[in-house]
Amino acid sequence: MKDLEKLEQRVSAARADVESRGETFYPGPSRVHLASFPPRERWDDWVELDSRAWPERKEQRYMLVPTTCFNCESACGLLAYVDRDSMQVRKFEGNPEHPGSRGRNCAKGPATHNQITDPDRILYPLKRVGARGAGKWERCSWDDALDDLAERIRGCLQEDRHNEVMYHVGRPGEDGFTERVIASWGVDGHNSHTNVCSASARAGYAFWTGIDRPSPDYANADVILLISAHLETGHYFNPHAQRITEARQRGAKVIVFDTRMSNTATHADYWLASYPGSEAAVLLAIANHLIQTGAYNREFVERWFNWQEYMVKERPEEDATFEGFEGALQELYSEFTFEYAAAESGLDADVIAEVARTVATAGTRLSTHNWRSAGAGNEGGWQVARCLFFLNALMGAVATPGGLYPNAWNKFVAKPIHSPSHPETWNELNWPTDYPLAMYELSFLLPHIMRERKSRLEVYFSRVYNPEWTNPDGFAWIEMLTDPDSIGLYAALTPTWNETAYFADYVLPMGHSSERHDIHSYETHDAQWIGFRQPVLRAARERLGETITDTRESNPGEVWEENEFWIELTWRIDPDGELGIRGFAESKKNPGTKLTVDEYYGHIFDNSVPGLPEAAAADGRSPLEYMRQYGAFEIETEIGALYEERIGAEQLDDPAEDLFGRVYTRAPAPAPVNIVPTGAPDPDADGRRAVGVRVDGEVLRGFPNPSGRLEFYSSTLAQWGWADAALPMYIKSHIHPDRMESDEVPLISTFRLPVQIHTRSANSKWLDEIAHTNPLWLHTDHAKQIGVATGDLVRVETQTGHFVVKAWVTEGIRPGVVACSHHMGRWKLHEGGQRQLTATADLNHDGSAWGLRRLRGAQPFASSDPDTERIWWTDVGVHQNLAFGVHPDPVSGMHCWHQAVRITPAGEGDKYGDIAVDTDRSREIYHEWLGRARGAHEHSPDGTRRPYWLIRPLKPGRAAYELPTPVPVVVDAD
Ligand code: SF4
């Protein structure tokens, strides 16, 4: 059946359903049927009464132009209300045509308007004058900046210094455009923020399925188990929160692990305020209950677990029967009693038992999620995600209605116009051999690795990233960035000032979410959709007949968008094409000319998004016009259990099968329609590719991992030095009571505030007024014990130094645990820059001793926005991450954020916001954690740096995987 017919059938069925309930039907993908959505056929000329003119009934005419929010990773749809008289954006509301967010947004979505009108935003390219960090800038031209960057990068490529070019991204907010640009240059220079965010959770999922993210079908779940404050701040927060809410309205039970009484915990049926790091112990107690009572889905486990491989490799003396495996399961997890879990977590054993019985009632309608939270906080946090998925796997709640999907099946990444091959180089700065199983780049170790190897980056880009502030150990970043021998040129691509940008050589203004192009697709529910971010004023003017080829023409000042920037830079690096790079930024329609964003996206929408051309034609538009008009397209719903797909005989050319049923073929792989990154199983010894797995006599698609099944037993972990962690197990965190001094307590430093987001929300006045501080959560008993009350200053002593913060005494946290949000504590060293949520501070430095002392907090100021004179808050919180040493998890590489700290009332000389750190001590911490790693030189089973099948951005060719001669490390390089 044609895609369009399928779409029409889905819409008709939905209409009949809604109208049978007497409700008004909204035909777009939101299907939430709110009468208040402007019907899409009236988006070109929408009339509202001007609220500010009241009581006069003054009509305001708008053009409604869709774009996508960029204030977190959810990529919700926004509708910009463009005033037809002034052609300025007046407000942003939700886009009902967006299948993920369905017309809804959190507070940060509409606050995009603050960001685009912020009087402190950066409007022109700036070049440093004087020393790095001295705060002196002059306006420069884009041409000058581009030529300088291009000349340096060209020099690196021509002189085989490929590893001296690095692009470091925080929030990508796009589906691989920049990654492909970097690939086209032939450098292994992609660096991300993932290892300070989600690498551990990814590892937990990837070692099961070969796909590194979960996609819960919350709306259809009967039991929802969240290890996070997911309802208020989780990954894909608004799209997920609304579906969790729907499930709750149907009577689904919600179980929340959160040491703090978060807003999410207050909505839970079961709030488990477990001791941080004990989550896996509790999950295994639930698993043990399912196993010992036989409440698991026996048929599913027998079909899909790689139990035979486990039995043969780890229990060779036993019969490899399923019954034998069931006996092994009972034995393996029997120690995880409710009482054991209670002792580890501080929870009541009866409550854990009740929760376990609730999970057992879910059947295949169990939705679970862990992303940051416990995964990101703890050494071994990846096992929290692995143990959580274990529950889904035991219940058979994998890719079922109400269950958990691997994200690659609920996400759509379209094939682009050009696909450069990946580099032949390997960058040890991002992928050191010490961490062969790291899920992403060891980005937060960069200053340490650079220093010890005496390395240099000729060109370092940061984009939507503020590593000095976001990462732990920020003073080590200042040391690196201010060393001209380490960094040749640093260009900060950012719409707004941040702590790291102050140390840049160029600050290059990039657009906010309504000023740039991107496409994206995320696993918000069991469906596939694609969303389009676009510069709304450009789109509005084009609707009126103008032709715009450079987005700077419609953006404020000289604010650009990154796609056009990267295309232009690529042309300047390789002006005549002799480096073989320029072709990737060339037009296909008009060879020899520059690729335009219209051609780039037009090509994707014409050729690579199933159903879109037909839907666009039915609407009388081209696919690009359709996406510019509506902003999103729903490709498919109800994807189902793809692992059960039968592999047809035509795909089985000269097939071969291994001992455990992995099936290989010589048939070429079909061209992928959806290019979401997943694991890529190795070929067999004769070069056949893995195509499926034999299950009950049939060859089925299975999972993209070595065995093709759910890897209860990870042969990868076992072969690469982690045989002791190859099964879902409990690893005692670095903040386990056994591993801390008696006067230390754990600090939870990972939680988000619902209305703030790292760096870029600080230029949203509405959000700043709501949330502008981050006190230390302290239980009443703890506060009494150390003699502090709410508002008192406390000194938090970490392993590398200390910070001084205000106390917030509350019953809403487990006694003996403290917590502080990381979304606060912005600072600057000079006047100007970002002012409404940034303290002005004095930075002092004597050898390895660093200190930051606040001079003043926020204060009112005169600007083009009269509201800045109404700023009533001075407190902007404290930057705790500066005082954290680096804690790379030895498996996933994730920074383990939780800290062992000592809390005392502030001393006489202490002032609010003080931060002191000794970077010699932070180097010791780096070495302490490095000592826990199991490096490839000692543990690689095959002479490679890393398992080739594991997901890796810009995956280099196989030759680059060969282990090199160990690089000599200079300890204490001073
Ligand atoms: S959840 Fe909020 S911040 Fe995130 S994309 Fe949606 S509207 Fe924007």
Side-chain angles (χ1 to χ4, degrees):
M1 185 186 293
K2 289 206 185 73
D3 293 314
L4 190 57
E5 284 171 43
K6 272 167 60 183
L7 181 69
E8 280 168 0
Q9 277 189 3
R10 287 208 299 267
V11 172
S12 305
R15 180 189 294 277
D17 179 47
V18 171
E19 291 180 349
S20 73
R21 296 197 300 272
E23 294 171 11
T24 309
F25 178 68
Y26 182 86
S30 69
R31 305 197 183 97
V32 289
H33 318 305
L34 297 182
S36 59
F37 285 140
R40 70 181 204 174
E41 57 278 8
R42 288 168 58 194
W43 285 8
D44 284 344
D45 194 4
W46 175 249
V47 180
E48 284 187 356
L49 295 181
D50 182 349
S51 58
R52 291 192 206 179
W54 188 86
E56 187 194 340
R57 290 177 61 85
K58 185 176 164 207
E59 288 190 346
Q60 188 79 49
R61 289 177 59 214
Y62 295 105
M63 193 187 305
L64 308 189
V65 185
T67 188
T68 304
C69 183
F70 202 178
N71 278 335
C72 84
E73 63 288 338
S74 303
C76 298
L78 293 175
L79 266 188
Y81 280 59
V82 179
D83 185 327
R84 289 187 66 107
D85 297 325
S86 67
M87 290 303 284
Q88 293 300 310
V89 179
R90 292 282 175 231
K91 61 177 176 176
F92 291 93
E93 294 198 353
N95 178 5
E97 289 294 309
H98 194 289
S101 56
R102 304 187 293 185
R104 293 148 169 159
N105 297 112
C106 79
K108 302 190 287 292
T112 300
H113 194 259
N114 294 169
Q115 293 169 315
I116 63 171
T117 57
D118 170 28
D120 286 338
R121 66 177 297 185
I122 303 161
L123 291 173
Y124 300 95
L126 297 173
K127 185 176 183 182
R128 169 175 64 87
V129 185
R132 277 197 192 131
K136 295 196 173 68
W137 304 90
E138 65 182 13
R139 193 169 150 184
C140 68
S141 69
W142 276 107
D143 278 336
D144 288 349
L146 282 159
D147 284 342
D148 192 359
L149 286 162
E151 193 180 326
R152 288 170 187 258
I153 295 170
R154 187 169 55 246
C156 289
L157 304 186
Q158 286 174 328
E159 294 157 22
D160 198 17
R161 293 184 286 119
H162 292 71
N163 285 348
E164 291 190 20
V165 180
M166 186 179 289
Y167 156 77
H168 202 162
V169 61
R171 169 63 41 215
E174 46 111 351
D175 266 344
F177 179 94
T178 321
E179 199 174 309
R180 285 188 288 274
V181 171
I182 304 299
S184 76
W185 298 351
V187 304
D188 186 24
H190 181 276
N191 203 352
S192 71
H193 76 292
T194 304
N195 254 315
V196 294
C197 178
S198 59
S200 263
R202 288 172 188 263
Y205 293 108
F207 288 132
W208 269 106
T209 63
I211 299 173
D212 66 349
R213 295 180 184 207
S215 174
D217 180 22
Y218 290 123
N220 296 304
D222 286 346
V223 176
I224 294 172
L225 197 165
L226 305 172
I227 302 200
S228 68
H230 207 84
L231 262 172
E232 66 203 275
T233 57
H235 212 66
Y236 312 130
F237 139 54
N238 159 48
H240 276 180
Q242 56 183 269
R243 291 173 171 90
I244 295 170
T245 302
E246 281 170 18
R248 288 184 70 230
Q249 285 171 336
R250 277 193 305 99
K253 295 279 184 232
V254 176
I255 301 160
V256 172
F257 283 68
D258 198 334
T259 312
R260 297 176 308 118
M261 189 171 67
S262 57
N263 294 335
T264 306
T266 62
H267 286 69
D269 296 279
Y270 296 97
W271 167 37
L272 305 179
S274 49
Y275 183 87
S278 67
E279 295 83 357
V282 182
L283 294 171
L284 290 181
I286 298 170
N288 186 40
H289 170 79
L290 302 177
I291 291 166
Q292 305 297 344
T293 61
Y296 59 98
N297 187 330
R298 195 162 183 264
E299 185 192 339
F300 180 85
V301 171
E302 184 172 6
R303 276 171 68 79
W304 284 108
F305 276 40
N306 66 336
W307 57 266
Q308 283 173 306
E309 184 177 9
Y310 167 68
M311 294 298 284
V312 169
K313 290 185 175 167
E314 296 295 321
R315 294 178 175 246
E317 69 290 353
E318 298 175 26
D319 287 342
T321 61
F322 183 63
E323 290 71 23
F325 174 67
E326 288 183 297
L329 271 183
Q330 288 175 9
E331 188 187 308
L332 282 166
Y333 294 101
S334 60
E335 67 179 286
F336 292 97
T337 60
F338 297 136
E339 290 70 28
Y340 174 80
E344 286 296 291
S345 65
L347 300 172
D348 191 308
D350 291 339
V351 173
I352 301 172
E354 201 176 319
V355 166
R357 287 193 290 273
T358 303
V359 170
T361 64
T364 57
R365 293 185 182 269
L366 173 67
S367 273
T368 62
H369 204 291
N370 173 223
W371 196 238
R372 304 181 188 96
S373 186
N378 299 290
E379 183 177 350
W382 59 278
Q383 279 281 21
V384 177
R386 188 149 159 77
C387 292
L388 184 61
F389 188 85
F390 190 23
L391 300 185
N392 281 86
L394 284 169
M395 298 305 289
V398 179
T400 49
L404 186 77
Y405 285 72
N407 88 311
W409 302 345
N410 285 172
K411 173 179 165 90
F412 188 88
V413 177
K415 199 167 178 306
I417 187 167
H418 297 299
S419 298
S421 48
H422 282 184
E424 292 306 322
T425 54
W426 186 284
N427 195 331
E428 279 273 333
L429 297 175
N430 289 337
W431 298 94
T433 52
D434 306 300
Y435 297 93
L437 303 180
M439 285 309 292
Y440 270 73
E441 305 88 354
L442 269 300
S443 61
F444 62 100
L445 301 185
L446 187 66
H448 294 283
I449 297 174
M450 293 270 295
R451 180 186 166 102
E452 297 208 332
R453 296 176 186 221
K454 294 190 177 298
S455 302
R456 175 180 170 83
L457 291 175
E458 181 59 33
V459 177
Y460 175 69
F461 292 100
S462 65
R463 172 187 164 253
V464 201
Y465 201 36
N466 183 6
E468 199 178 292
W469 186 78
T470 307
N471 287 356
D473 212 3
F475 290 123
W477 283 80
I478 297 179
E479 289 177 345
M480 179 186 79
L481 292 171
T482 50
D483 176 3
D485 291 336
S486 292
I487 304 291
L489 183 149
Y490 166 34
L493 276 51
T494 175
T496 185
W497 284 103
N498 66 54
E499 283 74 356
T500 318
Y502 286 120
F503 290 86
D505 299 298
Y506 287 105
V507 177
L508 303 178
M510 297 296 171
H512 285 293
S513 58
S514 56
E515 298 165 345
R516 49 183 288 151
H517 292 93
D518 298 303
I519 46 176
H520 21 60
S521 171
Y522 297 117
E523 55 276 16
T524 55
H525 59 298
D526 181 23
Q528 291 176 349
W529 54 263
I530 191 160
F532 191 35
R533 181 176 290 133
Q534 63 177 338
V536 297
L537 294 181
R538 172 178 171 151
R541 283 165 55 181
E542 284 176 344
R543 272 194 213 173
L544 294 176
E546 268 190 71
T547 302
I548 296 175
T549 51
D550 182 329
T551 302
R552 284 174 294 186
E553 291 170 34
S554 59
N555 276 348
E558 291 183 10
V559 170
W560 212 353
E561 68 147 28
E562 283 148 38
N563 297 355
E564 288 169 352
F565 165 80
W566 292 118
I567 291 168
E568 182 62 39
L569 180 59
T570 301
W571 271 69
R572 293 189 192 214
I573 293 169
D574 188 15
D576 47 18
E578 69 168 13
L579 297 179
I581 292 171
R582 202 188 78 174
F584 295 107
E586 270 185 28
S587 166
K588 275 196 174 171
K589 284 185 195 156
N590 301 302
T593 64
K594 271 179 212 154
L595 183 64
T596 65
V597 287
D598 272 355
E599 184 179 348
Y600 178 82
Y601 291 108
H603 181 94
I604 288 174
F605 298 148
D606 284 347
N607 299 292
S608 305
V609 182
L612 175 56
E614 293 84 354
D619 200 55
R621 302 174 199 272
S622 73
L624 178 61
E625 287 168 347
Y626 183 97
M627 292 301 282
R628 287 213 184 281
Q629 185 73 20
Y630 303 121
F633 180 69
E634 185 176 70
I635 297 163
E636 190 58 280
T637 58
E638 297 173 14
I639 308 299
L642 296 186
Y643 57 89
E644 291 275 7
E645 257 181 22
R646 280 205 196 117
I647 300 298
E650 72 287 354
Q651 292 187 62
L652 296 173
D653 176 15
D654 185 24
E657 196 167 321
D658 75 8
L659 182 62
F660 306 113
R662 196 52 154 137
V663 177
Y664 298 86
T665 181
R666 292 201 191 280
V673 179
N674 185 1
I675 60 166
V676 181
T678 68
D682 283 331
D684 72 359
D686 294 325
R688 298 179 184 87
R689 72 178 174 88
V691 66
V693 61
R694 188 171 296 280
V695 179
D696 291 344
E698 286 184 306
V699 182
L700 305 178
R701 173 167 164 172
F703 297 89
N705 58 16
S707 71
R709 295 177 191 270
L710 290 177
E711 298 210 337
F712 165 76
Y713 167 73
S714 168
S715 57
T716 305
L717 283 161
Q719 289 165 0
W720 285 77
W722 291 95
D724 49 340
L727 303 181
M729 271 297 154
Y730 172 44
I731 293 175
K732 288 187 176 174
S733 166
H734 64 297
I735 48 141
H736 190 278
D738 293 353
R739 298 177 69 182
M740 291 198 303
E741 302 294 332
S742 59
D743 58 344
E744 289 178 326
V745 295
L747 164 66
I748 296 175
S749 62
T750 44
F751 69 95
R752 282 176 161 184
L753 298 171
V755 301
Q756 293 283 0
I757 184 87
H758 303 295
T759 296
R760 58 200 184 284
S761 58
N763 66 334
S764 303
K765 61 186 179 186
W766 300 333
L767 305 180
D768 297 345
E769 183 168 27
I770 298 169
H772 45 257
T773 188
N774 60 343
L776 186 78
W777 293 42
L778 201 66
H779 188 269
T780 318
D781 295 346
H782 188 174
K784 215 179 277 174
Q785 200 186 326
I786 61 171
V788 298
T790 292
D792 286 354
L793 293 186
V794 289
R795 179 189 267 235
V796 180
E797 198 183 306
T798 67
Q799 291 169 303
T800 59
H802 72 264
F803 61 94
V804 179
V805 66
K806 287 176 190 160
W808 184 52
V809 179
T810 172
E811 296 281 315
I813 191 163
R814 169 165 286 284
V817 179
V818 295
C820 188
S821 170
H822 63 296
H823 274 173
M824 286 293 153
R826 304 293 311 283
W827 53 270
K828 60 190 171 72
L829 302 175
H830 313 285
E831 298 304 332
Q834 179 53 246
R835 287 175 284 181
Q836 62 203 35
L837 198 67
T838 308
T840 308
D842 182 39
L843 181 68
N844 54 72
H845 173 209
D846 180 10
S848 65
W850 288 86
L852 195 76
R853 172 151 280 195
R854 179 161 308 191
L855 301 174
R856 69 190 149 276
Q859 52 192 24
F861 59 93
S863 76
S864 56
D865 179 355
D867 277 350
T868 61
E869 292 190 76
R870 301 182 185 115
I871 290 174
W872 53 265
W873 59 92
T874 55
D875 189 359
V876 295
V878 178
H879 181 197
Q880 58 176 341
N881 293 3
L882 267 180
F884 298 166
V886 292
H887 297 165
D889 182 273
V891 172
S892 69
M894 170 91 216
H895 173 60
C896 306
W897 276 103
H898 293 344
Q899 304 285 315
V901 298
R902 293 181 176 86
I903 310 291
T904 54
E908 228 167 64
D910 286 340
K911 276 183 63 184
Y912 181 55
D914 277 358
I915 299 162
V917 167
D918 182 343
T919 48
D920 276 348
R921 179 71 187 126
S922 77
R923 283 185 271 282
E924 286 172 14
I925 302 288
Y926 162 67
H927 282 284
E928 208 177 280
W929 281 72
L930 185 60
R932 299 176 196 177
R934 301 181 189 171
H937 283 290
E938 298 76 33
H939 296 280
S940 172
D942 56 5
T944 61
R945 298 167 183 269
R946 170 185 175 80
Y948 190 76
W949 76 270
L950 270 184
I951 299 172
R952 212 214 98 158
L954 288 194
K955 197 173 194 170
R958 272 190 186 267
Y961 271 70
E962 272 174 37
L963 261 176
T965 311
V967 179
V969 167
V970 185
V971 180
D972 296 325
D974 280 342

